[in-house]
Amino acid sequence: NWIMTDYAAEFIESVRKQVGDGHVIGAVSGGVDSTVAAVLMTRAIGDRFHAVMVDNGCLRKDEAVTVVKRLREDCHVNLRCVDASERFLGLLKGVTDPEQKRKIIGRTFIDVFQEEADKIQADSGRCDYLLQGTLYPDVIESISYKGPSATIKTHHNVGGLPATMKLKLIEPLRELFKDEVRALGIALGIEENSVWRHPFPGPGLAIRILGEVTAERVKILQEADAIMIEELHKAGHYRAIGQAFVVLLPVKSVGVMGDGRTYEDVAAIRCVETTDYMTADFYHLPYEVMGAMSSRIINEVRGINRVCYDISSKPPATIEWE
Ligand code: XMP
């Protein structure tokens, strides 16, 4: 841990020299990389670092509130959260094609971020740096080869941000692997649960709602997802899993509730074991845990009456369904 403490101290020192009395902007998602990068930057230059979080209307349940609380109150980051839910959901109306969804979300994210950056630049007079949470594997991947998912799906990452912005990049995590970023997060005193969170894709729940994304379907998926994650923590499996989520299928099935017939959505649970996210095996979750998840989701979430477990590995399947 002292290695990470040294690493942090060195970065803070050098970034202070580099930035002088300038200002820095950065997008944060609440994931471990952007959180660690934001905390480091805040330790270096305080409120002259401006973090921006974009709520695209496809975040997990209570995510925006939780991230704002954690970053602002616990980590003292100068953060603004832009609620652009209606704008995103408006643009996604009627769109069912996965690539189309990704493109719309990626493009809109850049627009919203750019608008916010313009405001910050106007307010602070000068701002010539952009903070990015790029990790070593991202650097390698972009230099040497494109991983399979990069060519199969259009990736939207906070990492690939506004080339048009003409800001100088600051990338404190460029030399680190994920486990080192976690160690650094712990050394910086960031809450453990936040450091160990599973990755969450930029397009968010939009690529886990197969078919059209509507506010109503987002709500249904948020509820089911929150229950599933809660049960994973309760059963002690969260840390052993690389990623776990619920997918809302564009399929209805017949069920029975009390003495009435139901005709509602089907949900799939996806839990994978992986080290690099390039390959993955479905996680062998005990039946009792699956059972607890299934009965809670069906009983507590109106709109879902059947739950399946995804038993595909990557390859040939990918981790996400879209
Ligand atoms: P796939 O589905 O390609 O996913 O096996 C591999 C990993 O990448 C994440 N993923 C994304 N992350 N923007 C992101 O920031 C994206 O557009 C995106 N698409 C997939 C996925 O959640 C998994 O961790």
Side-chain angles (χ1 to χ4, degrees), residues 208-210 217 220-221 224 246-255 262-269 294 297-298 301-310 321:
R208 295 173 180 174
I209 294 172
L210 276 52
R217 287 174 74 74
I220 292 175
L221 183 55
V246 179
V247 182
L248 195 59
L249 308 190
V251 172
K252 286 189 187 304
S253 86
V254 173
T262 61
Y263 187 55
E264 293 175 342
D265 289 342
V266 181
I269 293 174
S294 159
I297 290 172
I298 294 170
V301 184
R302 275 192 56 197
I304 296 177
N305 71 352
R306 191 176 298 266
V307 172
C308 307
Y309 192 74
D310 183 347
W321 280 41

PDB file of all heavy atoms in Angstrom, residues 208-210 217 220-221 224 246-255 262-269 294 297-298 301-310 321:
ATOM      1  N   ARG A 208     -29.142  -3.114 -22.116  1.00  0.00           N
ATOM      2  CA  ARG A 208     -29.650  -4.288 -21.389  1.00  0.00           C
ATOM      3  C   ARG A 208     -31.162  -4.336 -21.452  1.00  0.00           C
ATOM      4  O   ARG A 208     -31.799  -5.188 -20.853  1.00  0.00           O
ATOM      5  CB  ARG A 208     -29.172  -4.239 -19.933  1.00  0.00           C
ATOM      6  CG  ARG A 208     -27.665  -4.363 -19.838  1.00  0.00           C
ATOM      7  CD  ARG A 208     -27.137  -4.147 -18.453  1.00  0.00           C
ATOM      8  NE  ARG A 208     -25.680  -4.290 -18.442  1.00  0.00           N
ATOM      9  CZ  ARG A 208     -24.907  -4.059 -17.403  1.00  0.00           C
ATOM     10  NH1 ARG A 208     -25.462  -3.700 -16.253  1.00  0.00           N
ATOM     11  NH2 ARG A 208     -23.602  -4.196 -17.483  1.00  0.00           N
ATOM     12  N   ILE A 209     -31.736  -3.378 -22.180  1.00  0.00           N
ATOM     13  CA  ILE A 209     -33.164  -3.402 -22.467  1.00  0.00           C
ATOM     14  C   ILE A 209     -33.242  -3.720 -23.945  1.00  0.00           C
ATOM     15  O   ILE A 209     -32.991  -2.860 -24.785  1.00  0.00           O
ATOM     16  CB  ILE A 209     -33.815  -2.036 -22.161  1.00  0.00           C
ATOM     17  CG1 ILE A 209     -33.750  -1.768 -20.662  1.00  0.00           C
ATOM     18  CG2 ILE A 209     -35.252  -1.999 -22.675  1.00  0.00           C
ATOM     19  CD1 ILE A 209     -34.189  -0.366 -20.263  1.00  0.00           C
ATOM     20  N   LEU A 210     -33.518  -4.962 -24.283  1.00  0.00           N
ATOM     21  CA  LEU A 210     -33.558  -5.339 -25.688  1.00  0.00           C
ATOM     22  C   LEU A 210     -34.849  -4.785 -26.276  1.00  0.00           C
ATOM     23  O   LEU A 210     -35.895  -4.838 -25.638  1.00  0.00           O
ATOM     24  CB  LEU A 210     -33.471  -6.867 -25.819  1.00  0.00           C
ATOM     25  CG  LEU A 210     -32.028  -7.421 -25.791  1.00  0.00           C
ATOM     26  CD1 LEU A 210     -31.232  -6.944 -24.598  1.00  0.00           C
ATOM     27  CD2 LEU A 210     -32.025  -8.937 -25.820  1.00  0.00           C
ATOM     28  N   ARG A 217     -39.613   0.985 -18.997  1.00  0.00           N
ATOM     29  CA  ARG A 217     -38.769  -0.224 -19.015  1.00  0.00           C
ATOM     30  C   ARG A 217     -37.473  -0.011 -18.224  1.00  0.00           C
ATOM     31  O   ARG A 217     -36.965  -0.933 -17.594  1.00  0.00           O
ATOM     32  CB  ARG A 217     -38.494  -0.680 -20.462  1.00  0.00           C
ATOM     33  CG  ARG A 217     -39.757  -1.303 -21.097  1.00  0.00           C
ATOM     34  CD  ARG A 217     -39.587  -1.643 -22.553  1.00  0.00           C
ATOM     35  NE  ARG A 217     -38.754  -2.814 -22.816  1.00  0.00           N
ATOM     36  CZ  ARG A 217     -39.099  -4.073 -22.615  1.00  0.00           C
ATOM     37  NH1 ARG A 217     -40.276  -4.352 -22.106  1.00  0.00           N
ATOM     38  NH2 ARG A 217     -38.293  -5.060 -22.926  1.00  0.00           N
ATOM     39  N   ILE A 220     -38.407  -0.654 -14.636  1.00  0.00           N
ATOM     40  CA  ILE A 220     -38.562  -2.088 -14.360  1.00  0.00           C
ATOM     41  C   ILE A 220     -37.192  -2.745 -14.204  1.00  0.00           C
ATOM     42  O   ILE A 220     -36.924  -3.481 -13.250  1.00  0.00           O
ATOM     43  CB  ILE A 220     -39.356  -2.786 -15.505  1.00  0.00           C
ATOM     44  CG1 ILE A 220     -40.811  -2.303 -15.512  1.00  0.00           C
ATOM     45  CG2 ILE A 220     -39.280  -4.301 -15.398  1.00  0.00           C
ATOM     46  CD1 ILE A 220     -41.645  -2.838 -16.673  1.00  0.00           C
ATOM     47  N   LEU A 221     -36.293  -2.438 -15.137  1.00  0.00           N
ATOM     48  CA  LEU A 221     -34.964  -3.055 -15.089  1.00  0.00           C
ATOM     49  C   LEU A 221     -34.164  -2.588 -13.872  1.00  0.00           C
ATOM     50  O   LEU A 221     -33.458  -3.375 -13.242  1.00  0.00           O
ATOM     51  CB  LEU A 221     -34.198  -2.764 -16.386  1.00  0.00           C
ATOM     52  CG  LEU A 221     -32.813  -3.423 -16.471  1.00  0.00           C
ATOM     53  CD1 LEU A 221     -32.891  -4.931 -16.248  1.00  0.00           C
ATOM     54  CD2 LEU A 221     -32.149  -3.134 -17.812  1.00  0.00           C
ATOM     55  N   ALA A 224     -35.315  -4.642 -10.888  1.00  0.00           N
ATOM     56  CA  ALA A 224     -34.868  -6.039 -10.944  1.00  0.00           C
ATOM     57  C   ALA A 224     -33.366  -6.119 -10.687  1.00  0.00           C
ATOM     58  O   ALA A 224     -32.886  -6.988  -9.946  1.00  0.00           O
ATOM     59  CB  ALA A 224     -35.212  -6.635 -12.308  1.00  0.00           C
ATOM     60  N   VAL A 246     -28.957  -7.741 -14.975  1.00  0.00           N
ATOM     61  CA  VAL A 246     -30.205  -8.306 -15.473  1.00  0.00           C
ATOM     62  C   VAL A 246     -30.462  -7.721 -16.857  1.00  0.00           C
ATOM     63  O   VAL A 246     -30.134  -6.566 -17.115  1.00  0.00           O
ATOM     64  CB  VAL A 246     -31.380  -7.964 -14.525  1.00  0.00           C
ATOM     65  CG1 VAL A 246     -32.696  -8.532 -15.058  1.00  0.00           C
ATOM     66  CG2 VAL A 246     -31.110  -8.497 -13.116  1.00  0.00           C
ATOM     67  N   VAL A 247     -30.987  -8.535 -17.745  1.00  0.00           N
ATOM     68  CA  VAL A 247     -31.334  -8.081 -19.091  1.00  0.00           C
ATOM     69  C   VAL A 247     -32.845  -8.195 -19.240  1.00  0.00           C
ATOM     70  O   VAL A 247     -33.437  -9.210 -18.851  1.00  0.00           O
ATOM     71  CB  VAL A 247     -30.647  -8.970 -20.162  1.00  0.00           C
ATOM     72  CG1 VAL A 247     -30.958  -8.479 -21.569  1.00  0.00           C
ATOM     73  CG2 VAL A 247     -29.147  -9.032 -19.932  1.00  0.00           C
ATOM     74  N   LEU A 248     -33.472  -7.152 -19.775  1.00  0.00           N
ATOM     75  CA  LEU A 248     -34.918  -7.197 -19.982  1.00  0.00           C
ATOM     76  C   LEU A 248     -35.179  -7.572 -21.439  1.00  0.00           C
ATOM     77  O   LEU A 248     -34.748  -6.883 -22.361  1.00  0.00           O
ATOM     78  CB  LEU A 248     -35.522  -5.831 -19.655  1.00  0.00           C
ATOM     79  CG  LEU A 248     -37.027  -5.781 -19.479  1.00  0.00           C
ATOM     80  CD1 LEU A 248     -37.497  -6.707 -18.365  1.00  0.00           C
ATOM     81  CD2 LEU A 248     -37.477  -4.346 -19.196  1.00  0.00           C
ATOM     82  N   LEU A 249     -35.844  -8.706 -21.633  1.00  0.00           N
ATOM     83  CA  LEU A 249     -36.033  -9.209 -22.991  1.00  0.00           C
ATOM     84  C   LEU A 249     -37.288  -8.620 -23.639  1.00  0.00           C
ATOM     85  O   LEU A 249     -38.243  -8.265 -22.956  1.00  0.00           O
ATOM     86  CB  LEU A 249     -36.132 -10.743 -22.961  1.00  0.00           C
ATOM     87  CG  LEU A 249     -35.018 -11.482 -22.233  1.00  0.00           C
ATOM     88  CD1 LEU A 249     -35.126 -12.985 -22.492  1.00  0.00           C
ATOM     89  CD2 LEU A 249     -33.650 -10.978 -22.676  1.00  0.00           C
ATOM     90  N   PRO A 250     -37.291  -8.556 -24.965  1.00  0.00           N
ATOM     91  CA  PRO A 250     -38.457  -8.015 -25.668  1.00  0.00           C
ATOM     92  C   PRO A 250     -39.473  -9.120 -25.931  1.00  0.00           C
ATOM     93  O   PRO A 250     -40.010  -9.246 -27.020  1.00  0.00           O
ATOM     94  CB  PRO A 250     -37.856  -7.490 -26.972  1.00  0.00           C
ATOM     95  CG  PRO A 250     -36.694  -8.388 -27.225  1.00  0.00           C
ATOM     96  CD  PRO A 250     -36.198  -8.886 -25.900  1.00  0.00           C
ATOM     97  N   VAL A 251     -39.703  -9.939 -24.912  1.00  0.00           N
ATOM     98  CA  VAL A 251     -40.538 -11.126 -25.069  1.00  0.00           C
ATOM     99  C   VAL A 251     -41.482 -11.180 -23.874  1.00  0.00           C
ATOM    100  O   VAL A 251     -41.075 -10.910 -22.752  1.00  0.00           O
ATOM    101  CB  VAL A 251     -39.643 -12.400 -25.034  1.00  0.00           C
ATOM    102  CG1 VAL A 251     -40.478 -13.661 -24.988  1.00  0.00           C
ATOM    103  CG2 VAL A 251     -38.679 -12.423 -26.202  1.00  0.00           C
ATOM    104  N   LYS A 252     -42.723 -11.535 -24.126  1.00  0.00           N
ATOM    105  CA  LYS A 252     -43.654 -11.696 -23.004  1.00  0.00           C
ATOM    106  C   LYS A 252     -43.982 -13.173 -22.848  1.00  0.00           C
ATOM    107  O   LYS A 252     -43.949 -13.933 -23.806  1.00  0.00           O
ATOM    108  CB  LYS A 252     -44.942 -10.912 -23.273  1.00  0.00           C
ATOM    109  CG  LYS A 252     -44.774  -9.415 -23.110  1.00  0.00           C
ATOM    110  CD  LYS A 252     -46.148  -8.752 -23.165  1.00  0.00           C
ATOM    111  CE  LYS A 252     -46.044  -7.240 -23.178  1.00  0.00           C
ATOM    112  NZ  LYS A 252     -45.290  -6.693 -22.049  1.00  0.00           N
ATOM    113  N   SER A 253     -44.297 -13.563 -21.616  1.00  0.00           N
ATOM    114  CA  SER A 253     -44.703 -14.950 -21.420  1.00  0.00           C
ATOM    115  C   SER A 253     -45.909 -14.987 -20.487  1.00  0.00           C
ATOM    116  O   SER A 253     -46.178 -14.030 -19.755  1.00  0.00           O
ATOM    117  CB  SER A 253     -43.540 -15.778 -20.853  1.00  0.00           C
ATOM    118  OG  SER A 253     -43.495 -15.679 -19.457  1.00  0.00           O
ATOM    119  N   VAL A 254     -46.603 -16.114 -20.536  1.00  0.00           N
ATOM    120  CA  VAL A 254     -47.806 -16.272 -19.724  1.00  0.00           C
ATOM    121  C   VAL A 254     -47.430 -16.789 -18.342  1.00  0.00           C
ATOM    122  O   VAL A 254     -46.550 -17.625 -18.206  1.00  0.00           O
ATOM    123  CB  VAL A 254     -48.798 -17.232 -20.413  1.00  0.00           C
ATOM    124  CG1 VAL A 254     -49.986 -17.549 -19.514  1.00  0.00           C
ATOM    125  CG2 VAL A 254     -49.263 -16.638 -21.738  1.00  0.00           C
ATOM    126  N   GLY A 255     -48.073 -16.262 -17.320  1.00  0.00           N
ATOM    127  CA  GLY A 255     -47.839 -16.741 -15.970  1.00  0.00           C
ATOM    128  C   GLY A 255     -49.144 -16.748 -15.188  1.00  0.00           C
ATOM    129  O   GLY A 255     -50.194 -16.393 -15.724  1.00  0.00           O
ATOM    130  N   THR A 262     -51.267 -13.844 -16.009  1.00  0.00           N
ATOM    131  CA  THR A 262     -50.439 -12.673 -16.313  1.00  0.00           C
ATOM    132  C   THR A 262     -49.801 -12.877 -17.675  1.00  0.00           C
ATOM    133  O   THR A 262     -49.658 -14.017 -18.157  1.00  0.00           O
ATOM    134  CB  THR A 262     -49.314 -12.460 -15.273  1.00  0.00           C
ATOM    135  OG1 THR A 262     -48.450 -13.607 -15.276  1.00  0.00           O
ATOM    136  CG2 THR A 262     -49.863 -12.251 -13.874  1.00  0.00           C
ATOM    137  N   TYR A 263     -49.428 -11.759 -18.316  1.00  0.00           N
ATOM    138  CA  TYR A 263     -48.740 -11.810 -19.594  1.00  0.00           C
ATOM    139  C   TYR A 263     -47.731 -10.674 -19.554  1.00  0.00           C
ATOM    140  O   TYR A 263     -48.070  -9.527 -19.820  1.00  0.00           O
ATOM    141  CB  TYR A 263     -49.761 -11.650 -20.725  1.00  0.00           C
ATOM    142  CG  TYR A 263     -49.183 -11.858 -22.104  1.00  0.00           C
ATOM    143  CD1 TYR A 263     -48.499 -13.035 -22.421  1.00  0.00           C
ATOM    144  CD2 TYR A 263     -49.322 -10.878 -23.091  1.00  0.00           C
ATOM    145  CE1 TYR A 263     -47.964 -13.218 -23.689  1.00  0.00           C
ATOM    146  CE2 TYR A 263     -48.795 -11.061 -24.354  1.00  0.00           C
ATOM    147  CZ  TYR A 263     -48.114 -12.238 -24.648  1.00  0.00           C
ATOM    148  OH  TYR A 263     -47.584 -12.426 -25.905  1.00  0.00           O
ATOM    149  N   GLU A 264     -46.519 -11.014 -19.106  1.00  0.00           N
ATOM    150  CA  GLU A 264     -45.535  -9.969 -18.821  1.00  0.00           C
ATOM    151  C   GLU A 264     -44.152 -10.286 -19.371  1.00  0.00           C
ATOM    152  O   GLU A 264     -43.927 -11.335 -19.970  1.00  0.00           O
ATOM    153  CB  GLU A 264     -45.466  -9.754 -17.297  1.00  0.00           C
ATOM    154  CG  GLU A 264     -46.741  -9.166 -16.743  1.00  0.00           C
ATOM    155  CD  GLU A 264     -46.753  -9.059 -15.222  1.00  0.00           C
ATOM    156  OE1 GLU A 264     -45.932  -9.734 -14.556  1.00  0.00           O
ATOM    157  OE2 GLU A 264     -47.583  -8.310 -14.703  1.00  0.00           O
ATOM    158  N   ASP A 265     -43.197  -9.368 -19.100  1.00  0.00           N
ATOM    159  CA  ASP A 265     -41.844  -9.492 -19.638  1.00  0.00           C
ATOM    160  C   ASP A 265     -41.034 -10.621 -19.002  1.00  0.00           C
ATOM    161  O   ASP A 265     -41.255 -11.008 -17.854  1.00  0.00           O
ATOM    162  CB  ASP A 265     -41.073  -8.191 -19.406  1.00  0.00           C
ATOM    163  CG  ASP A 265     -41.579  -7.077 -20.295  1.00  0.00           C
ATOM    164  OD1 ASP A 265     -42.267  -7.377 -21.302  1.00  0.00           O
ATOM    165  OD2 ASP A 265     -41.301  -5.905 -19.993  1.00  0.00           O
ATOM    166  N   VAL A 266     -40.043 -11.099 -19.777  1.00  0.00           N
ATOM    167  CA  VAL A 266     -39.091 -12.088 -19.304  1.00  0.00           C
ATOM    168  C   VAL A 266     -37.769 -11.373 -19.030  1.00  0.00           C
ATOM    169  O   VAL A 266     -37.356 -10.508 -19.813  1.00  0.00           O
ATOM    170  CB  VAL A 266     -38.857 -13.185 -20.372  1.00  0.00           C
ATOM    171  CG1 VAL A 266     -37.863 -14.239 -19.867  1.00  0.00           C
ATOM    172  CG2 VAL A 266     -40.175 -13.828 -20.780  1.00  0.00           C
ATOM    173  N   ALA A 267     -37.116 -11.718 -17.929  1.00  0.00           N
ATOM    174  CA  ALA A 267     -35.811 -11.130 -17.619  1.00  0.00           C
ATOM    175  C   ALA A 267     -34.768 -12.233 -17.560  1.00  0.00           C
ATOM    176  O   ALA A 267     -35.071 -13.372 -17.187  1.00  0.00           O
ATOM    177  CB  ALA A 267     -35.860 -10.404 -16.285  1.00  0.00           C
ATOM    178  N   ALA A 268     -33.534 -11.911 -17.951  1.00  0.00           N
ATOM    179  CA  ALA A 268     -32.441 -12.877 -17.849  1.00  0.00           C
ATOM    180  C   ALA A 268     -31.386 -12.327 -16.896  1.00  0.00           C
ATOM    181  O   ALA A 268     -31.076 -11.138 -16.928  1.00  0.00           O
ATOM    182  CB  ALA A 268     -31.825 -13.122 -19.219  1.00  0.00           C
ATOM    183  N   ILE A 269     -30.850 -13.202 -16.060  1.00  0.00           N
ATOM    184  CA  ILE A 269     -29.757 -12.810 -15.168  1.00  0.00           C
ATOM    185  C   ILE A 269     -28.453 -13.284 -15.795  1.00  0.00           C
ATOM    186  O   ILE A 269     -28.345 -14.422 -16.261  1.00  0.00           O
ATOM    187  CB  ILE A 269     -29.940 -13.450 -13.772  1.00  0.00           C
ATOM    188  CG1 ILE A 269     -31.173 -12.864 -13.092  1.00  0.00           C
ATOM    189  CG2 ILE A 269     -28.692 -13.238 -12.902  1.00  0.00           C
ATOM    190  CD1 ILE A 269     -31.522 -13.542 -11.778  1.00  0.00           C
ATOM    191  N   SER A 294     -34.905 -14.957  -8.305  1.00  0.00           N
ATOM    192  CA  SER A 294     -36.069 -15.125  -9.164  1.00  0.00           C
ATOM    193  C   SER A 294     -37.362 -14.836  -8.419  1.00  0.00           C
ATOM    194  O   SER A 294     -38.218 -14.078  -8.899  1.00  0.00           O
ATOM    195  CB  SER A 294     -36.067 -16.541  -9.732  1.00  0.00           C
ATOM    196  OG  SER A 294     -37.357 -16.885 -10.157  1.00  0.00           O
ATOM    197  N   ILE A 297     -37.631 -11.057  -7.619  1.00  0.00           N
ATOM    198  CA  ILE A 297     -37.888 -10.212  -8.803  1.00  0.00           C
ATOM    199  C   ILE A 297     -39.343 -10.364  -9.261  1.00  0.00           C
ATOM    200  O   ILE A 297     -40.050  -9.389  -9.482  1.00  0.00           O
ATOM    201  CB  ILE A 297     -36.899 -10.547  -9.950  1.00  0.00           C
ATOM    202  CG1 ILE A 297     -35.478 -10.082  -9.567  1.00  0.00           C
ATOM    203  CG2 ILE A 297     -37.335  -9.896 -11.263  1.00  0.00           C
ATOM    204  CD1 ILE A 297     -34.383 -10.511 -10.520  1.00  0.00           C
ATOM    205  N   ILE A 298     -39.803 -11.618  -9.373  1.00  0.00           N
ATOM    206  CA  ILE A 298     -41.162 -11.826  -9.863  1.00  0.00           C
ATOM    207  C   ILE A 298     -42.213 -11.264  -8.895  1.00  0.00           C
ATOM    208  O   ILE A 298     -43.205 -10.674  -9.315  1.00  0.00           O
ATOM    209  CB  ILE A 298     -41.406 -13.331 -10.156  1.00  0.00           C
ATOM    210  CG1 ILE A 298     -40.509 -13.763 -11.326  1.00  0.00           C
ATOM    211  CG2 ILE A 298     -42.879 -13.601 -10.474  1.00  0.00           C
ATOM    212  CD1 ILE A 298     -40.445 -15.251 -11.574  1.00  0.00           C
ATOM    213  N   VAL A 301     -41.254  -6.970  -8.586  1.00  0.00           N
ATOM    214  CA  VAL A 301     -41.193  -6.061  -9.740  1.00  0.00           C
ATOM    215  C   VAL A 301     -42.418  -6.263 -10.627  1.00  0.00           C
ATOM    216  O   VAL A 301     -42.574  -7.322 -11.244  1.00  0.00           O
ATOM    217  CB  VAL A 301     -39.908  -6.301 -10.582  1.00  0.00           C
ATOM    218  CG1 VAL A 301     -39.816  -5.288 -11.710  1.00  0.00           C
ATOM    219  CG2 VAL A 301     -38.667  -6.254  -9.702  1.00  0.00           C
ATOM    220  N   ARG A 302     -43.253  -5.276 -10.684  1.00  0.00           N
ATOM    221  CA  ARG A 302     -44.417  -5.397 -11.551  1.00  0.00           C
ATOM    222  C   ARG A 302     -43.978  -5.272 -12.996  1.00  0.00           C
ATOM    223  O   ARG A 302     -43.277  -4.340 -13.366  1.00  0.00           O
ATOM    224  CB  ARG A 302     -45.458  -4.317 -11.214  1.00  0.00           C
ATOM    225  CG  ARG A 302     -46.354  -4.776 -10.080  1.00  0.00           C
ATOM    226  CD  ARG A 302     -47.555  -3.877  -9.910  1.00  0.00           C
ATOM    227  NE  ARG A 302     -48.349  -3.744 -11.122  1.00  0.00           N
ATOM    228  CZ  ARG A 302     -49.237  -2.773 -11.288  1.00  0.00           C
ATOM    229  NH1 ARG A 302     -49.419  -1.868 -10.371  1.00  0.00           N
ATOM    230  NH2 ARG A 302     -49.950  -2.726 -12.394  1.00  0.00           N
ATOM    231  N   GLY A 303     -44.371  -6.266 -13.810  1.00  0.00           N
ATOM    232  CA  GLY A 303     -43.987  -6.222 -15.215  1.00  0.00           C
ATOM    233  C   GLY A 303     -43.089  -7.391 -15.624  1.00  0.00           C
ATOM    234  O   GLY A 303     -42.885  -7.634 -16.798  1.00  0.00           O
ATOM    235  N   ILE A 304     -42.549  -8.120 -14.630  1.00  0.00           N
ATOM    236  CA  ILE A 304     -41.723  -9.298 -14.953  1.00  0.00           C
ATOM    237  C   ILE A 304     -42.379 -10.519 -14.304  1.00  0.00           C
ATOM    238  O   ILE A 304     -42.671 -10.516 -13.117  1.00  0.00           O
ATOM    239  CB  ILE A 304     -40.279  -9.154 -14.409  1.00  0.00           C
ATOM    240  CG1 ILE A 304     -39.551  -7.987 -15.090  1.00  0.00           C
ATOM    241  CG2 ILE A 304     -39.491 -10.463 -14.588  1.00  0.00           C
ATOM    242  CD1 ILE A 304     -38.150  -7.722 -14.567  1.00  0.00           C
ATOM    243  N   ASN A 305     -42.636 -11.556 -15.097  1.00  0.00           N
ATOM    244  CA  ASN A 305     -43.242 -12.752 -14.505  1.00  0.00           C
ATOM    245  C   ASN A 305     -42.438 -14.026 -14.758  1.00  0.00           C
ATOM    246  O   ASN A 305     -42.872 -15.125 -14.458  1.00  0.00           O
ATOM    247  CB  ASN A 305     -44.695 -12.927 -14.972  1.00  0.00           C
ATOM    248  CG  ASN A 305     -44.790 -13.335 -16.436  1.00  0.00           C
ATOM    249  OD1 ASN A 305     -43.787 -13.349 -17.147  1.00  0.00           O
ATOM    250  ND2 ASN A 305     -45.992 -13.657 -16.880  1.00  0.00           N
ATOM    251  N   ARG A 306     -41.212 -13.849 -15.325  1.00  0.00           N
ATOM    252  CA  ARG A 306     -40.374 -15.036 -15.558  1.00  0.00           C
ATOM    253  C   ARG A 306     -38.904 -14.609 -15.576  1.00  0.00           C
ATOM    254  O   ARG A 306     -38.568 -13.565 -16.127  1.00  0.00           O
ATOM    255  CB  ARG A 306     -40.757 -15.686 -16.896  1.00  0.00           C
ATOM    256  CG  ARG A 306     -40.149 -17.051 -17.142  1.00  0.00           C
ATOM    257  CD  ARG A 306     -40.670 -17.645 -18.455  1.00  0.00           C
ATOM    258  NE  ARG A 306     -42.122 -17.843 -18.435  1.00  0.00           N
ATOM    259  CZ  ARG A 306     -42.720 -18.983 -18.103  1.00  0.00           C
ATOM    260  NH1 ARG A 306     -42.000 -20.039 -17.770  1.00  0.00           N
ATOM    261  NH2 ARG A 306     -44.024 -19.081 -18.117  1.00  0.00           N
ATOM    262  N   VAL A 307     -38.050 -15.446 -14.943  1.00  0.00           N
ATOM    263  CA  VAL A 307     -36.621 -15.125 -14.878  1.00  0.00           C
ATOM    264  C   VAL A 307     -35.803 -16.313 -15.361  1.00  0.00           C
ATOM    265  O   VAL A 307     -36.065 -17.457 -14.979  1.00  0.00           O
ATOM    266  CB  VAL A 307     -36.208 -14.763 -13.426  1.00  0.00           C
ATOM    267  CG1 VAL A 307     -34.702 -14.617 -13.301  1.00  0.00           C
ATOM    268  CG2 VAL A 307     -36.901 -13.485 -12.967  1.00  0.00           C
ATOM    269  N   CYS A 308     -34.823 -16.045 -16.239  1.00  0.00           N
ATOM    270  CA  CYS A 308     -33.934 -17.102 -16.739  1.00  0.00           C
ATOM    271  C   CYS A 308     -32.491 -16.793 -16.342  1.00  0.00           C
ATOM    272  O   CYS A 308     -32.165 -15.651 -16.049  1.00  0.00           O
ATOM    273  CB  CYS A 308     -33.983 -17.170 -18.264  1.00  0.00           C
ATOM    274  SG  CYS A 308     -35.636 -17.329 -18.912  1.00  0.00           S
ATOM    275  N   TYR A 309     -31.613 -17.801 -16.377  1.00  0.00           N
ATOM    276  CA  TYR A 309     -30.198 -17.585 -16.081  1.00  0.00           C
ATOM    277  C   TYR A 309     -29.389 -17.855 -17.347  1.00  0.00           C
ATOM    278  O   TYR A 309     -29.565 -18.893 -17.988  1.00  0.00           O
ATOM    279  CB  TYR A 309     -29.747 -18.525 -14.951  1.00  0.00           C
ATOM    280  CG  TYR A 309     -28.382 -18.160 -14.391  1.00  0.00           C
ATOM    281  CD1 TYR A 309     -28.228 -17.046 -13.572  1.00  0.00           C
ATOM    282  CD2 TYR A 309     -27.264 -18.939 -14.688  1.00  0.00           C
ATOM    283  CE1 TYR A 309     -26.983 -16.708 -13.059  1.00  0.00           C
ATOM    284  CE2 TYR A 309     -26.007 -18.602 -14.176  1.00  0.00           C
ATOM    285  CZ  TYR A 309     -25.873 -17.480 -13.359  1.00  0.00           C
ATOM    286  OH  TYR A 309     -24.640 -17.144 -12.856  1.00  0.00           O
ATOM    287  N   ASP A 310     -28.542 -16.917 -17.710  1.00  0.00           N
ATOM    288  CA  ASP A 310     -27.748 -17.019 -18.935  1.00  0.00           C
ATOM    289  C   ASP A 310     -26.534 -17.918 -18.700  1.00  0.00           C
ATOM    290  O   ASP A 310     -25.689 -17.637 -17.856  1.00  0.00           O
ATOM    291  CB  ASP A 310     -27.302 -15.596 -19.328  1.00  0.00           C
ATOM    292  CG  ASP A 310     -26.521 -15.560 -20.642  1.00  0.00           C
ATOM    293  OD1 ASP A 310     -26.109 -16.623 -21.127  1.00  0.00           O
ATOM    294  OD2 ASP A 310     -26.330 -14.441 -21.162  1.00  0.00           O
ATOM    295  N   TRP A 321     -25.612  -8.281 -23.824  1.00  0.00           N
ATOM    296  CA  TRP A 321     -26.450  -8.908 -24.842  1.00  0.00           C
ATOM    297  C   TRP A 321     -26.537  -8.062 -26.118  1.00  0.00           C
ATOM    298  O   TRP A 321     -27.021  -8.544 -27.139  1.00  0.00           O
ATOM    299  CB  TRP A 321     -27.863  -9.151 -24.286  1.00  0.00           C
ATOM    300  CG  TRP A 321     -27.965 -10.379 -23.429  1.00  0.00           C
ATOM    301  CD1 TRP A 321     -27.053 -10.804 -22.500  1.00  0.00           C
ATOM    302  CD2 TRP A 321     -29.033 -11.326 -23.403  1.00  0.00           C
ATOM    303  NE1 TRP A 321     -27.490 -11.950 -21.884  1.00  0.00           N
ATOM    304  CE2 TRP A 321     -28.717 -12.299 -22.437  1.00  0.00           C
ATOM    305  CE3 TRP A 321     -30.233 -11.450 -24.094  1.00  0.00           C
ATOM    306  CZ2 TRP A 321     -29.549 -13.375 -22.148  1.00  0.00           C
ATOM    307  CZ3 TRP A 321     -31.076 -12.515 -23.812  1.00  0.00           C
ATOM    308  CH2 TRP A 321     -30.723 -13.475 -22.847  1.00  0.00           C
TER     309      TRP A 321
END
